[in-house]
Amino acid sequence: MSIFRLYTRVLELLGSEARLGWFLAIANLVMATAQFAEPVLFGRIIDVLSKNPSTATPSFLPSTPWPLLWAWVAFGLFTIVCNAFIALHADRLAHRQRQAVLTGYFEHIMQLPLTFHTGVHSGRLMKVMLQGTDALWRIWLGFFREHFASIVSLFVLLPLAMYINWRLAILLFVLCVVFTLMTTLVVRKTYGLQNEVEEHYSDLASRASDALGNVALVQSFVRIDAEVQGLRNVATQLLSAQMPVLSWWALVTVMTKASTTITVLAIFTVGIYLNAQGLASVGEIVMFVSFATMLIQRLEQVVSFVNSVFMEAPRLREFFDVLDAVPAVRDRPDAIDPGRLQGLVEFNDVSFSYDGKRAAVEDLSFMALPGQTIALVGATGAGKSTAIALLHRAFDPQSGIIKIDGMDVRGMTLTALRRNIGVVFQEALLFNRSLADNLRVGKPDATDAELREAARRAQALEFIERSDQKFDTNAGERGRMLSGGERQRLSIARALLKNPPILILDEATSALDAVTEAKVNAALDEVMKGRTTFVIAHRLSTIRNATRILVFENGSVIESGTFDELVAQGGHFASLARAQFMIQENARASIAPSAAASSV
């Protein structure tokens, strides 16, 4: 994306503020034009006061300076009003729109599929969001406060200077050409370097976020010094890449200061010669000195504008790259909200591949009636989780169709589909908020009584009541203030509170001790009545009472039946069952002799 296109997109993001933006642009245009009245009037007043104007002095000048002075006052007041209007509304516009774009960006990334988030570090996404919106705010503010006025001023000043005295105006044109060439050179020299700098900033954010997110691991493995040194190394690389960029732009600043002195001296030198030839008045010489000073200021602002856009360009590109990412799964134009579903689930010849080469699930067909419990077992990578992910449209199948109550899930809105499906993940996912807030994720309008009932049925009420703040207790980041079993019971209570017709349990009891697991399983048995439940399980003892068990291997169902039917078949499932029960028997056998020895 070119710098020009990038800047255009920044202005396009003004959205609903575009109308105010146009008013500000017009105010900038008028102010840029009015500002040049001051040096022109100043020069003409000097011509009137000198009483000895040259042949170059216009004949229409008044005989006294007072009309010119009053005109100067009028233009000055008008400029002040324009400045006040621009300063007041430019700030408000930039701040309002930054918050609007930030929330829009956040909504967008939250809608992106899990495959996107799996491949992008959350720390990088946060960095892109915050730095990107800050860059937008700075450019919007700069554009309406000075950049636009500066650019417009150049198009007003140079023709005006040509009209007043083309000979002196040539010096101003030369100055503009030198500035343009110098800025172009610096941009070309530092273009690739600034991209490298931004990559180091992203690495810095990702590395710091990664270490903070795994602080327990860092401390337990005594890696504090190593992580700090790693961050220091990234910061050193960042500075090494940044310094050449700063040096080039410092050169521009030095040359800008030198240009001011050189240009003013050149105007006086040429002006004195032209005055002697009767080709320029004293007032015009003073006028062009003011023009030169204003031109230098405007060129400095233009260079500052180019520098700011250039420096922000890598951040803005990252921002727009994320903003342009299209969700692989989204609502169809004709998608509907069917309301609460009954829970009849059908997979018809469903196939899906992550990479287009190896099938994650292939020709998967089965049916789950409302109220049935379907267990999915098999080795890691066999396709169990993928099949369930297809059900709630984390992905869409490449072929085949998934129906609920006879409707293609792709014909429903994502919100409606996922409102009818509750998920208890293997890893309990909690916000850094109160326990009540975490539970209300399942039902935002849940009453306190409903919270207590859901917690009671999930065997979570006891530990909640033990805490001083009870349901107002903060769960901590990722639920770190709670034990693994407590986190899992809260996630189960959250699903119970949602009360969906379809329930997905992804190793939901894996983090519980044997006693609590038995209690939660009893609660889940009650909750699963009347709703379709899919259980992903590795411990076969947890699915003994499933209506049907689907045994996965290489993305396909190789066996199907009840627990007893599959054991009787003596196939793959029976081998898994014997292996797991054998391990338990060996464990009991090893415990028995040690207990006998201790009793002796």
Side-chain angles (χ1 to χ4, degrees), residues 38-99:
E38 181 176 330
V40 171
L41 291 169
F42 183 38
R44 295 313 183 198
I45 288 174
I46 289 178
D47 281 336
V48 171
L49 293 176
S50 66
K51 304 298 184 182
N52 186 26
S54 69
T55 57
T57 305
S59 58
F60 57 79
L61 284 179
S63 57
T64 64
W66 292 109
L68 297 173
L69 191 62
W70 284 113
W72 190 345
V73 171
F75 275 110
L77 290 174
F78 180 76
T79 303
I80 291 172
V81 172
C82 284
N83 264 317
F85 175 81
I86 291 170
L88 178 64
H89 291 285
D91 277 11
R92 294 182 177 183
L93 179 150
H95 279 86
R96 282 198 304 265
Q97 200 58 19
R98 174 173 61 174
Q99 302 308 323

Side-chain angles (χ1 to χ4, degrees), residues 127-379:
K127 173 254 182 189
V128 169
M129 179 175 73
L130 297 177
Q131 290 193 353
T133 51
D134 282 349
L136 290 170
W137 171 75
R138 284 190 290 268
I139 290 179
W140 286 329
L141 197 60
F143 177 83
F144 290 114
R145 273 192 164 185
E146 54 186 37
H147 296 162
F148 184 68
S150 299
I151 295 171
V152 170
S153 296
L154 297 180
F155 289 101
V156 175
L157 172 61
L158 295 176
L160 178 63
M162 287 291 292
Y163 172 76
I164 294 173
N165 193 314
W166 65 269
R167 297 172 181 84
L168 289 174
I170 291 175
L171 296 174
L172 302 183
F173 272 99
V174 172
L175 180 62
C176 288
V177 171
V178 171
F179 258 87
T180 301
L181 293 175
M182 182 172 57
T183 305
T184 302
L185 173 66
V186 171
V187 167
R188 288 184 175 179
K189 288 288 186 182
T190 56
Y191 182 80
L193 294 175
Q194 188 59 33
N195 286 330
E196 183 181 347
V197 169
E198 201 54 37
E199 289 178 3
H200 288 309
Y201 271 116
S202 295
D203 292 341
L204 196 70
S206 297
R207 192 176 187 96
S209 177
D210 207 28
L212 289 172
N214 294 281
V215 66
L217 176 68
V218 171
Q219 292 180 355
S220 63
F221 279 81
V222 198
R223 282 196 54 84
I224 295 177
D225 292 340
E227 292 299 323
V228 171
Q229 185 58 44
L231 194 69
R232 188 177 290 119
N233 291 339
V234 175
T236 301
Q237 294 171 2
L238 189 155
L239 287 175
S240 299
Q242 183 75 80
M243 290 306 175
V245 178
L246 299 178
S247 298
W248 277 105
W249 285 104
L251 177 63
V252 174
T253 303
V254 172
M255 294 183 69
T256 300
K257 299 299 182 184
S259 299
T260 305
T261 303
I262 294 171
T263 304
V264 170
L265 287 174
I267 288 174
F268 270 119
T269 302
V270 175
I272 291 171
Y273 172 78
L274 293 176
N275 181 260
Q277 302 296 318
L279 299 174
S281 67
V282 175
E284 286 178 350
I285 296 174
V286 174
M287 190 188 307
F288 270 83
V289 170
S290 298
F291 279 168
T293 304
M294 291 183 69
L295 181 61
I296 293 292
Q297 292 175 348
R298 296 297 180 266
L299 288 173
E300 284 180 337
Q301 291 172 350
V302 170
V303 170
S304 173
F305 152 67
V306 174
N307 184 20
S308 64
V309 174
F310 169 74
M311 298 291 278
E312 305 288 9
R315 297 170 186 172
L316 292 171
R317 284 195 184 92
E318 278 190 319
F319 183 85
F320 285 122
D321 284 344
V322 176
L323 203 60
D324 292 340
V326 179
V329 177
R330 53 188 183 275
D331 289 339
R332 289 179 174 178
D334 58 347
I336 63 170
D337 182 349
R340 184 175 177 84
L341 301 170
Q342 296 298 313
L344 172 62
V345 178
E346 301 172 76
F347 277 65
N348 296 322
D349 298 321
V350 173
S351 296
F352 176 79
S353 172
Y354 290 101
D355 55 11
K357 299 176 182 178
R358 176 180 173 273
V361 294
E362 187 173 13
D363 298 328
L364 183 60
S365 296
F366 66 88
M367 178 184 293
L369 298 177
Q372 287 188 335
T373 298
I374 308 298
L376 291 74
V377 302

